[in-house]
Amino acid sequence: MMLKRRLVKLLLFILEEVFERCNGFLFVLVFASIITFIVIKDTLSQPYDRTQHKDTYAAFDFKSKRDFPFVRGCVDPDIYSHDSEYIRQNATFVMLTKNDEFEEVKKTMNSLESHFNQWYNYPYVFLNNVDFTDEFKENIRNLTKAEVRFGTLDELLWEFPDGVRDSFEFHQRLVDQSDRSIMYGGMESYHKMCRFYSGLFYKHPLVQQHEWYWRIEPDVEFFCDLTYDPFFEMQKSNKKYGFAIIIPELYWTVANLFRYTRSFIRENDIVVGSLWKLFTRSYKVLDTEDEELQKWVNFEKEIDDKISEMIAIEHLIEFDTEDDDGIEFLIRRAQSKYPIIEDKFDDEEYNMCHFWSNFEIAKVEVFDNDLYNSYFEYLEKSGGFWKERWGDAPVHSLGLGIMLNLADVHYFRDIGYRHSKLHHCPRNWDGNNKRGKGQLPYEEKESRFARQEGSLKWNYDKTSEFGSGCRCICPKKMDVEDSSYQCFEKWIGMVFFDNEDDYNFELDGEWTGKVDTNKRYKAVKKDFLRYKKEEDDWVKKGIKVGEADDL
Ligand SMILES: Nc1nc2c(ncn2[C@@H]2O[C@H](COP(=O)(O)OP(=O)(O)OP(=O)(O)O)[C@@H](O)[C@H]2O)c(=O)[nH]1
Ligand SMILES: *[C@@H]1O[C@H](CO)[C@@H](O)[C@H](O)[C@H]1NC(C)=O
Ligand SMILES: *[C@@H]1O[C@H](CO)[C@@H](O)[C@H](O)[C@H]1NC(C)=O
Ligand SMILES: [Mg+2]
């Protein structure tokens, strides 16, 4: 307080001095600057409160027959799990971690136990490339009543194949990625981790003992109570894979991933699922069998140009050996090459979107099947897990895109979740406008999770009719739904469109649907013939074409 008063005094003194010594203009200038500074400083220090922003995605309730929150607001876990229809699932948490990460693991487990697992007691599987220490195991066991198992990965699951890891190229590639500042590109262990999660974690015997898994990581946080059983709800709704965050990948980590993915699909004649569209952009903007035309046209805006060129050339060949336009187009065509789009393979391109795989609730068999395993082997042979730094998230996503339909996937929009600096957190549900009815009072199952009345943990966010969460306390920072909306927007567009085939927009909102080629052709031809006729009329009247333009 003292300091503040002295600062104000000082400020007033400066103002007086300025006013006396300088002219009025300078005074106004200085005064305005100070006010601006105070206002800006004030706005910057305001925390971002999502509930105060009406135009965010949080304010929209997306309803669809294909995907929706399993439960809105809270249920009573005791009643829920004693329902005659409820079946506890054959499921486990899975975490790959290191002995020196206990504090981070503890944060994750405390958050998970207090928000969910104190009621459901699902077991944990911890995996490590070296043995867990007794101390680590003991400390972990002390964090939960649930069963905990520890597994060590054998070489096959963890190390790069023999021929690879001793090669000069292997080391040189890592150094190169490090030099190019590719995130974690120079870290061998990170590459191993990505490869392991991409195609091997589900082969570990401890994971194989289950039908479902929920992947967790050290130092993640949950913001809402999950009072129902997500495994059971997934089973009930026939879902195979659930995510909490969808974002775009860093381009240079996966520059060649799509090239290999596409050739895997081509070589094996695979018909991809409808989820594929979520991760790809199509350059097939014409519904034509004309491969020549298809090669020239990649964007909608190029269609009319190419068709009129085609028509002029046809016209030249058919009628008029001296038609200027036709000749001009023909020369232009002869001089140009098909446009090359670097990342286009089989008329498609990866749009970098991926489910952020540090959170996954899924069926083990969604990856543990012949198709996905052969996809992983194909990728492994290409060397991309070390020549580049393919993340398990884009690999999982493209693999899922090959195998699954949109409706097989569930967005856990009601789960508030943070990993590193990104988070998603829903609004609390108000229970059909009856304030707070969607929320139930919290009752701990274990005394260590008691929430003191009046404490921060008791102070839940306001409810909203658009909410889905249960007793959430969200960070006052921007949600990934808003800060990294591009991929989320496409997910919503596809899932919430009545007919998923009708959804034809890419991340930047550009239309990527198919144009009726015949219709376009007819329209352009009509214009062309009218123009030719006008031209003929001018010729008859003795006017040259160039002059006609000036009339
Ligand atoms: N046992 C073991 N676990 C690892 C190794 N490298 C990574 N992990 C685990 O794999 C998970 C993801 O690795 P991180 O390095 O945290 O990757 P990240 O979360 O993408 O990156 P950060 O944002 O930096 O945390 C964590 O659970 C790590 O503990 C390793 O060499 N050995
Ligand atoms: C177990 O955790 C509690 C805190 O939750 C702590 O007081 C206790 O010392 C721990 N026990 C062991 C054996 O680490
Ligand atoms: C759980 O699922 C696994 C894999 O399908 C199976 O081997 C195991 O027997 C199941 N366990 C129980 C208790 O049903
Ligand atoms: Mg991490």
Side-chain angles (χ1 to χ4, degrees):
M1 267 328 272
M2 274 307 287
L3 183 67
K4 212 169 181 183
R5 214 172 298 152
R6 274 163 57 191
L7 272 177
V8 171
K9 260 188 184 168
L10 181 68
L11 204 69
L12 285 175
F13 173 74
I14 293 174
L15 282 177
E16 262 170 42
E17 286 291 295
V18 170
F19 193 60
E20 269 174 25
R21 291 182 194 194
C22 316
N23 56 27
F25 174 72
L26 196 61
F27 174 77
V28 171
L29 197 73
V30 171
F31 191 69
S33 314
I34 290 170
I35 295 292
T36 317
F37 174 74
I38 290 170
V39 170
I40 289 179
K41 191 178 155 291
D42 219 42
T43 350
L44 286 181
S45 61
Q46 288 285 326
Y48 180 89
D49 185 352
R50 201 179 184 196
T51 55
Q52 299 304 310
H53 292 252
K54 295 272 182 289
D55 54 349
T56 65
Y57 277 113
F60 291 90
D61 187 13
F62 302 100
K63 289 193 185 111
S64 155
K65 56 181 191 294
R66 246 172 260 120
D67 194 45
F68 45 83
F70 293 133
V71 169
R72 270 178 197 280
C74 315
V75 295
D76 180 330
D78 258 348
I79 299 175
Y80 178 92
S81 57
H82 285 100
D83 191 283
S84 60
E85 280 184 10
Y86 174 72
I87 305 167
R88 185 183 164 79
Q89 299 296 301
N90 185 350
T92 182
F93 298 106
V94 180
M95 189 197 288
L96 173 74
T97 188
K98 296 175 260 192
N99 282 309
D100 62 6
E101 286 181 312
F102 174 72
E103 285 305 322
E104 290 82 1
V105 178
K106 184 173 153 189
K107 277 193 217 159
T108 295
M109 282 181 72
N110 280 339
S111 184
L112 194 55
E113 288 286 316
S114 77
H115 286 293
F116 169 69
N117 212 40
Q118 59 168 320
W119 300 298
Y120 289 93
N121 254 304
Y122 277 107
Y124 290 81
V125 167
F126 287 93
L127 301 174
N128 193 348
N129 57 305
V130 297
D131 289 335
F132 282 111
T133 60
D134 291 339
E135 187 191 350
F136 183 89
K137 290 196 242 185
E138 212 173 291
N139 285 336
I140 293 284
R141 288 211 170 90
N142 189 27
L143 295 174
T144 179
K145 296 196 308 308
E147 191 191 340
V148 182
R149 288 201 241 180
F150 299 91
T152 306
L153 309 175
D154 61 39
E155 213 172 77
L156 218 62
L157 292 189
W158 186 249
E159 296 291 341
F160 281 103
D162 271 342
V164 172
R165 86 181 111 121
D166 338 307
S167 69
F168 173 72
E169 194 191 358
F170 176 68
H171 295 283
Q172 190 269 332
R173 284 285 188 155
L174 296 193
V175 171
D176 170 69
Q177 289 172 62
S178 170
D179 288 348
R180 289 189 289 133
S181 301
I182 288 176
M183 200 173 169
Y184 304 123
M187 269 174 73
E188 184 176 336
S189 66
Y190 198 90
H191 285 261
K192 287 181 197 165
M193 182 273 287
C194 291
R195 172 181 171 273
F196 169 74
Y197 267 129
S198 290
L200 300 157
F201 78 97
Y202 51 82
K203 292 191 176 166
H204 193 278
L206 292 179
V207 180
Q208 288 266 310
Q209 284 170 23
H210 301 277
E211 207 180 320
W212 294 93
Y213 73 92
W214 177 339
R215 173 167 159 192
I216 52 175
E217 282 205 5
D219 191 25
V220 302
E221 219 177 325
F222 296 91
F223 303 115
C224 312
D225 286 337
L226 185 60
T227 48
Y228 64 88
D229 180 342
F231 303 112
F232 176 59
E233 295 297 332
M234 299 241 329
Q235 171 77 32
K236 221 168 73 178
S237 319
N238 248 324
K239 296 283 183 182
K240 297 183 174 132
Y241 184 90
F243 71 95
I245 287 176
I246 177 170
I247 47 168
E249 180 58 292
L250 300 167
Y251 175 88
W252 288 107
T253 62
V254 287
N256 283 292
L257 173 60
F258 193 67
R259 175 197 303 272
Y260 287 106
T261 302
R262 210 44 256 193
S263 52
F264 170 75
I265 292 170
R266 198 185 323 116
E267 284 171 25
N268 295 286
D269 274 329
I270 292 164
V271 179
V272 297
S274 68
L275 184 65
W276 183 249
K277 205 173 183 174
L278 179 60
F279 305 117
T280 52
R281 176 203 183 107
S282 171
Y283 284 100
K284 274 203 177 106
V285 292
L286 286 163
D287 69 344
T288 178
E289 298 298 307
D290 184 342
E291 277 181 34
E292 171 79 10
L293 186 60
Q294 183 69 63
K295 279 184 186 157
W296 286 107
V297 176
N298 287 296
F299 301 95
E300 198 206 356
K301 59 177 184 284
E302 298 169 341
I303 294 175
D304 284 0
D305 234 26
K306 269 299 151 192
I307 291 184
S308 49
E309 180 184 304
M310 221 168 85
I311 290 171
I313 294 171
E314 282 167 12
H315 188 81
L316 172 76
I317 294 167
E318 202 173 335
F319 301 106
D320 191 345
T321 49
E322 276 166 47
D323 180 76
D324 286 347
D325 300 309
I327 290 170
E328 195 187 313
F329 275 133
L330 203 59
I331 292 169
R332 203 170 83 183
R333 164 87 61 104
Q335 285 174 338
S336 48
K337 301 187 184 85
Y338 297 130
I340 291 173
I341 294 184
E342 256 178 304
D343 292 310
K344 183 177 92 165
F345 301 99
D346 301 336
D347 288 319
E348 282 177 342
E349 181 179 312
Y350 179 34
N351 64 16
M352 299 293 140
C353 291
H354 60 279
F355 302 132
W356 220 23
S357 58
N358 47 71
F359 173 108
E360 290 181 324
I361 299 182
K363 273 206 145 135
V364 176
E365 68 175 24
V366 90
F367 295 118
D368 190 22
N369 63 68
D370 291 345
L371 181 54
Y372 186 81
N373 277 319
S374 61
Y375 174 53
F376 174 72
E377 271 156 34
Y378 193 91
L379 296 183
E380 170 100 312
K381 261 188 233 132
S382 77
F385 290 108
W386 52 276
K387 289 181 182 170
E388 298 188 355
R389 207 231 66 208
W390 294 350
D392 48 289
V395 171
H396 279 191
S397 293
L398 288 172
L400 294 166
I402 292 173
M403 301 180 296
L404 301 186
N405 290 324
L406 204 57
D408 296 329
V409 176
H410 178 66
Y411 175 29
F412 278 102
R413 203 180 186 200
D414 54 325
I415 294 187
Y417 173 72
R418 177 195 64 76
H419 172 270
S420 66
K421 290 202 171 81
L422 302 185
H423 81 275
H424 160 67
C425 192
R427 289 178 172 185
N428 285 321
W429 188 48
D430 75 356
N432 291 331
N433 294 328
K434 293 183 197 79
R435 188 160 258 283
K437 193 172 164 270
Q439 306 292 302
L440 297 175
Y442 170 80
E443 264 180 72
E444 70 274 8
K445 189 96 180 173
E446 289 178 53
S447 58
R448 63 189 172 124
F449 296 128
R451 296 174 191 169
Q452 295 302 320
E453 196 168 340
S455 76
L456 278 180
K457 282 185 180 169
W458 185 268
N459 197 12
Y460 307 119
D461 290 353
K462 278 182 281 187
T463 60
S464 147
E465 65 178 299
F466 303 115
S468 54
C470 167
R471 299 190 287 260
C472 304
I473 303 177
C474 295
K476 301 262 181 286
K477 288 184 189 146
M478 214 193 266
D479 197 292
V480 280
E481 278 191 5
D482 297 320
S483 64
S484 186
Y485 58 86
Q486 299 94 332
C487 295
F488 173 66
E489 210 166 59
K490 186 161 185 186
W491 161 262
I492 291 180
M494 282 177 69
V495 170
F496 298 88
F497 232 65
D498 277 345
N499 179 359
E500 63 193 71
D501 289 336
D502 288 347
Y503 186 83
N504 288 310
F505 298 91
E506 208 14 74
L507 300 196
D508 44 14
E510 188 172 349
W511 190 81
T512 56
K514 282 192 194 165
V515 162
D516 183 337
T517 315
N518 274 333
K519 209 163 132 193
R520 277 290 174 98
Y521 182 90
K522 277 181 197 152
V524 176
K525 182 141 191 179
K526 203 169 130 195
D527 277 354
F528 179 83
L529 291 177
R530 190 171 57 224
Y531 176 70
K532 281 291 157 207
K533 188 168 173 303
E534 278 171 18
E535 223 179 49
D536 284 348
D537 290 348
W538 295 330
V539 171
K540 274 177 209 149
K541 285 180 195 156
I543 305 171
K544 286 191 192 130
V545 178
E547 289 170 10
D549 286 345
D550 300 334
L551 290 181

